[in-house]
Amino acid sequence: MKRFFLVCSLVVIAACAQQPPPPPVAANPPPPPPPPPPMTYTVYFDYNSSQLGPAGREVVRFAADAYKARPPAPVQVVGYTDPSGSAGYNQRLSLRRANAVAAELQSDGAPQSALVVSGQGESSNEPTPGQDRRVDVTVGGSPPAS
């Protein structure tokens, strides 16, 4: 009988010493959350100018802060002009405006590698005078098709 108790005791001790089974592994992990929607910030310029004013600098700072607060994504920087001036002049001015905004974005912490800068020249779809003298900064979204 002592032998029986000894064997039972050893079986109980051995059973208690085993590790519990690992937790089950999820069959399909949940998909990652979708990226945040793109956000567009608009910087306005004076007539025939590519100089950023205080209000423009503040808009650029908001755009840079938005870039830094989200997962890395491209930043579209697109310049426009009003219809006065030749097509060639307007193209160059729109690019100077976009480059001025891009430089400010970099000084506010957005890396140059994230910036896609272009000038579109004259904007023909802005009915209010002055609203076509602008740079649109779009943070996030898909990179432009090449």
Side-chain angles (χ1 to χ4, degrees), residues 16-33:
C16 291
Q18 291 180 352
Q19 294 290 328
V25 177
N28 291 324

Side-chain angles (χ1 to χ4, degrees), residues 76-137:
Q76 309 289 323
V77 183
V78 184
Y80 298 93
T81 65
D82 62 22
S84 34
S86 69
Y89 179 80
N90 285 341
Q91 176 61 38
R92 291 187 300 277
L93 178 58
S94 67
L95 188 56
R96 281 197 309 273
R97 289 174 173 167
N99 283 327
V101 169
E104 190 73 14
L105 280 166
Q106 288 177 57
S107 71
D108 287 340
Q112 181 179 7
S113 61
L115 305 179
V116 180
V117 181
S118 65
Q120 296 298 311
E122 182 181 322
S123 173
S124 59
N125 60 352
E126 294 300 326
T128 306
Q131 288 188 349
D132 44 10
R133 298 188 302 258
R134 71 184 194 281
V135 171
D136 290 335
V137 179

